[in-house]
Amino acid sequence: MDADGLTFACATSAEERVAKRRGLPTARVGLRAVNGVPPGRLVSFGLAGALHDGLRVGDVLDATRVVDERGETLWSGSPLGVDGAREATVLASDDLVYDAGERRRLHESSGADAVDMESGVLARSGRLAGVLRVVSDDAQSSIEGVDTTIHPDGRTDVVGLLRFVATRRGDAIHSLRDAVSALRALERAVA
């Protein structure tokens, strides 16, 4: 992968740390890019949720398309060429999709493999050059409430994180373990 001239747009501080550790030019755009879209050619970089059972936690996705719920293309392009990554289609969503039935429905209606909340905003900017995402939750994962662990600007919400762990216990521990595993896979992908 040639990162020359690209800015890796991350939603969260955890994703941003991964990119920075690898020396990649980085901007934290926040959830749904509420911090704004940076100038230049952009790579949507970070975590994504699987929409079908063919993807597992830690699978690295080098997207060639970003689509909306109906499967309409918002962006298409060549993969970035990340070794070991799977070519994929990413669904742009305004909301965290945590229900297995809803994931299945979105896969059927859009043809997408995974979902995130930033790629669509970046695609609409006209400056998206690629999408590099890693699956952090499979199609059957129970991640309801995980959205309360991150502030909109992408910083960790410590109180929300503690509340998530206290109220969702096993699901929360599983979700956090999967996220850490996915971030490690993402870091290896850009090594």
Side-chain angles (χ1 to χ4, degrees):
M1 175 184 73
D2 180 12
D4 189 41
L6 299 174
T7 298
F8 288 71
C10 310
T12 69
S13 54
E15 296 162 342
E16 182 182 35
R17 280 191 299 276
V18 167
K20 284 185 174 184
R21 275 196 301 265
R22 291 300 177 196
L24 300 171
T26 307
R28 183 166 24 103
V29 298
L31 302 177
R32 293 176 215 80
V34 299
N35 298 345
V37 177
R41 296 180 56 226
L42 306 171
V43 173
S44 179
F45 183 81
L47 304 178
L51 292 179
H52 60 77
D53 291 329
L55 293 175
R56 297 184 345 195
V57 171
D59 283 349
V60 179
L61 309 176
D62 191 351
T64 56
R65 288 181 55 218
V66 175
V67 298
D68 66 14
E69 258 188 63
R70 296 176 315 278
E72 298 292 322
T73 300
L74 303 175
W75 172 85
S76 64
S78 298
L80 294 167
V82 175
D83 287 338
R86 297 171 59 160
E87 288 188 21
T89 297
V90 171
L91 172 69
S93 178
D94 289 332
D95 301 304
L96 181 70
V97 182
Y98 57 83
D99 178 73
E102 179 66 359
R103 289 179 192 223
R104 199 169 26 262
R105 183 192 74 74
L106 288 168
H107 171 65
E108 290 169 2
S109 68
S110 70
D113 300 296
V115 59
D116 75 42
M117 297 188 302
E118 295 74 40
S119 293
V121 175
L122 299 173
R124 289 180 185 102
S125 77
R127 295 194 308 278
L128 190 63
V131 178
L132 184 59
R133 294 284 175 156
V134 65
V135 175
S136 60
D137 46 288
D138 64 33
Q140 302 306 316
S141 294
S142 179
I143 62 167
E144 184 175 5
V146 75
D147 51 334
T148 64
T149 68
I150 305 291
H151 290 288
D153 69 359
R155 292 177 299 119
T156 301
D157 182 335
V158 177
V159 172
L161 178 62
L162 293 172
R163 187 177 302 119
F164 177 57
V165 171
T167 59
R168 299 290 301 196
R169 297 181 202 257
D171 288 339
I173 300 295
H174 183 79
S175 177
L176 293 172
R177 186 177 46 231
D178 285 350
V180 168
S181 176
L183 288 167
R184 286 183 183 140
L186 187 61
E187 189 163 0
R188 285 190 303 272
V190 293

